[in-house]
């Protein structure tokens, strides 16, 4: 990001902070007789600075404390900006229809602040909770190994960084192993765009190697697995037992075929552009079940009837209401199981196991996906 963009975004964040801070300071002075506005603005400025450092230094490590503080403050600031803005509009409209006093405006602002605190409190809690979604997929092909059933465990959008750290990833790996997978699929955005945000990369390597599946773990890149520190991300994966597929195909023990894609719209470099795998698929063995790892579900129409299952992520199902309405309108499928007119391919889109941006979820869930595949 160039310096002008950094300055503009920083200015917008501080202006937003001033708007939100003014509302809160008014309440503090009115109800608690608060008399230290300079101290208040110093604290608000430091909190906003932590957000600027966290989100604008894409290739630096600002430390776990500052990174977490900046992320949570961003969630509060964004929510407060929207809610205070909407209540302000409501007050101006209502004041034209009926007489309203300054006391009415203060009470409306107080109610808005209480709503903000409840909203983000629930969102923070929900963002850390991890549920398991289950799907049954039938594929009309026979594996050479005569295996009739296959359990694939899918995760996407881990977004390893300040919020989704080593401790959270350890919990994720433990939950995956408890599902006794035949294969683990990671459909992109393993990283949050900044490798340096990892505080203990060796622990991430250890946890990735702890994934326990009969046929191993397969990974494709997402749009955040890119940028200035991409080579370090790739080097970390190379130190693990994970099979990275960059527009490549792998035949897994005569049982099924897996293809993994580079992201269609990465945020920065991914060592070359996405390449077509159409020829590879045509040359591949048509008798085996074909699974595609492709981060963004906007690409599902690229694949034909020779593909049996596509697994994706990316959308987070909007992550925070009402953005789930936006993703639902934009994507053919933004979450769950999808199959067009009962013909291949089938699609499963995960809402993601991590969070991005504001570390909260409202109306969506962080999830691990268990896909039970029944073969012919």
């Amino acid at each position: 990001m160039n310096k002008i963009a950094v300055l503009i975004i920083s200015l917008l964040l501080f202006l937003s902070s001033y708007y939100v801070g003014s509302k809160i300071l008014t309440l503090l002075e009115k109800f608690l007789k608060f008399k230290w506005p300079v101290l208040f603005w110093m604290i608000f400025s430091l909190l906003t600075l932590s957000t600027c450092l966290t989100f604008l230094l894409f290739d630096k490590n600002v430390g776990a404390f500052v990174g977490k503080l900046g992320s949570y403050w961003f969630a509060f600031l964004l929510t407060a900006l929207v809610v205070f803005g909407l209540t302000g509009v409501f007050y101006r409209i209502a004041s034209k229809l009926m007489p309203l006093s300054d006391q009415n405006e203060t009470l409306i602002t107080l109610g808005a602040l209480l709503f903000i605190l409840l909203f983000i409190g629930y969102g923070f809690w929900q963002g850390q909770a991890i549920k398991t979604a289950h799907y049954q997929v039938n594929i009309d092909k026979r594996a050479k190994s005569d295996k009739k059933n296959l359990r694939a465990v899918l995760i996407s959008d881990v977004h390893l960084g300040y919020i989704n750290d080593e401790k959270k990833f350890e919990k994720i790996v433990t939950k995956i192993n408890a599902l006794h997978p035949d294969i683990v699929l990671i459909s992109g955005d393993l990283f949050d765009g900044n490798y340096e945000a990892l505080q203990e990369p060796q622990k991430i390597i250890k946890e990735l190697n702890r994934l326990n599946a009969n046929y191993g773990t397969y990974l494709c890149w997402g749009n955040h697995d890119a940028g200035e520190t991409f080579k370090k991300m790739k080097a970390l994966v190379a130190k693990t037992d994970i099979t990275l597929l960059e527009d490549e195909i792998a035949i897994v023990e005569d049982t099924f075929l897996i293809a993994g894609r580079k992201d269609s719209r990465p945020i920065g470099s991914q060592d070359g552009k996405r390449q077509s795998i159409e020829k590879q698929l045509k040359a591949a063995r048509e008798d085996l079940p074909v699974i595609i790892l492709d981060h963004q579900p906007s690409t599902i129409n690229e694949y034909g009837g020779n593909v049996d299952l596509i697994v994706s992520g990316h959308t987070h199902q909007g992550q925070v209401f009402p953005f789930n309405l936006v993703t639902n309108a934009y994507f053919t499928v933004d979450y769950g199981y999808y199959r067009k007119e009962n013909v291949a391919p089938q699609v499963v889109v995960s809402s993601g196991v991590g969070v991005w941006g504001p570390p909260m979820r409202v109306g969506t869930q962080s999830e691990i996906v268990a896909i039970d595949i029944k073969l012919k």
Side-chain angles (χ1 to χ4, degrees):
M1 184 179 293
N2 62 50
K3 293 180 180 180
I4 295 177
V6 169
L7 287 173
I8 292 173
I9 294 172
S10 299
L11 179 61
L12 290 173
L13 284 170
F14 275 99
L15 287 173
S16 300
S17 182
Y18 176 75
Y19 172 75
V20 171
S22 298
K23 296 281 189 180
I24 295 173
L25 183 58
T26 299
L27 294 176
L28 291 174
E29 290 174 338
K30 191 170 186 68
F31 291 103
L32 300 179
K33 309 302 180 184
F34 186 80
K35 298 179 179 179
W36 299 283
V38 174
L39 175 63
F40 175 85
W41 286 118
M42 284 178 62
I43 294 171
F44 245 66
S45 297
L46 287 173
L47 290 169
T48 305
L49 178 61
S50 73
T51 295
C52 292
L53 294 174
T54 300
F55 288 99
L56 297 180
L57 296 181
F58 292 111
D59 56 353
K60 299 290 188 298
N61 180 5
V62 300
F65 176 77
V66 173
K68 284 180 169 59
L69 183 66
S71 298
Y72 282 109
W73 183 249
F74 176 67
F76 172 78
L77 204 58
L78 183 63
T79 304
L81 183 65
V82 172
V83 174
F84 281 144
L86 289 175
T87 53
V89 171
F90 168 78
Y91 176 79
R92 284 193 292 273
I93 293 174
S95 64
K96 292 181 180 180
L97 300 176
M98 65 186 78
L100 293 174
S101 64
D102 290 342
Q103 185 177 6
N104 294 133
E105 184 178 11
T106 301
L107 291 174
I108 289 172
T109 303
L110 179 61
L113 179 60
L114 292 174
F115 173 81
I116 291 163
L117 295 176
L118 289 172
F119 186 86
I120 64 170
Y122 171 79
F124 292 159
W125 171 78
Q126 182 72 356
Q128 293 301 310
I130 301 172
K131 299 180 180 179
T132 303
H134 292 267
Y135 298 97
Q136 176 79 47
V137 170
N138 297 318
I139 295 178
D140 193 24
K141 288 180 181 178
R142 186 187 302 275
K144 285 292 183 180
S145 64
D146 291 328
K147 189 172 180 65
K148 299 291 186 181
N149 298 289
L150 178 73
R151 167 160 282 192
V153 173
L154 165 70
I155 59 170
S156 72
D157 302 278
V158 184
H159 288 282
L160 290 169
Y162 298 118
I163 294 297
N164 308 295
D165 58 13
E166 298 80 6
K167 291 183 179 179
K168 182 173 181 179
F169 193 55
E170 181 181 359
K171 294 178 182 178
I172 292 169
V173 171
T174 298
K175 286 179 177 288
I176 291 172
N177 288 342
L179 292 168
H180 306 292
D182 289 304
I183 185 170
V184 174
L185 307 173
I186 306 176
S187 61
D189 278 0
L190 178 62
F191 300 94
D192 198 32
N194 179 10
Y195 176 88
E196 301 301 339
L198 303 182
Q199 304 304 306
E200 299 181 82
Q202 291 303 317
K203 286 192 176 181
I204 296 297
I205 293 171
K206 178 183 176 182
E207 291 306 316
L208 287 170
N209 284 333
R210 198 165 63 86
L211 287 167
N212 185 18
N214 297 330
Y215 298 118
T217 301
Y218 293 80
L219 164 71
C220 75
W221 293 129
N223 59 311
H224 286 269
D225 302 315
E228 295 293 327
T229 58
F230 174 71
K231 289 184 178 180
K232 292 183 178 180
M233 299 176 194
K234 191 169 181 176
L236 183 146
V237 172
K239 294 175 183 177
T240 71
D241 299 327
I242 288 176
T243 300
L244 170 64
L245 296 172
E246 298 177 294
D247 298 324
E248 297 167 300
I249 288 177
I251 296 177
V252 183
E253 296 189 21
D254 271 347
T255 300
F256 50 91
L257 183 151
I258 294 184
R261 307 301 309 276
K262 288 184 178 180
D263 190 71
S264 56
R265 291 188 294 274
I267 306 173
S269 171
Q270 275 185 349
D271 280 351
K273 294 182 179 180
R274 175 178 166 115
Q275 303 295 318
S276 172
I277 61 167
E278 185 177 355
K279 289 183 179 179
Q280 295 182 60
L281 287 174
K282 285 182 178 179
R285 293 170 49 180
E286 296 182 358
D287 59 322
L288 292 181
V290 178
I291 301 173
I292 301 285
L293 284 169
D294 201 343
H295 180 61
Q296 300 197 33
S298 56
T299 64
I300 61 175
N301 292 325
E302 292 182 12
Y303 305 102
N306 59 330
V307 171
D308 299 292
L309 175 64
I310 303 168
V311 293
S312 299
H314 180 65
T315 69
H316 294 226
Q317 201 190 3
Q319 190 166 307
V320 177
F321 177 85
F323 294 105
N324 55 322
L325 302 178
V326 176
T327 59
N328 183 259
Y330 180 77
F331 294 96
T332 301
V333 52
D334 75 321
Y335 178 70
Y337 175 85
Y338 170 81
R339 192 177 196 182
K340 184 178 180 180
E341 298 172 355
N342 263 345
V343 297
Q346 301 173 78
V347 181
V348 172
V349 179
S350 171
S351 60
V353 73
V355 290
W356 173 79
M360 55 191 293
R361 282 186 181 269
V362 176
T364 67
Q365 65 181 31
S366 297
E367 67 177 19
I368 295 167
V369 183
I371 307 172
D372 289 315
I373 301 171
K374 186 176 181 181
L375 302 174
K376 184 176 178 180

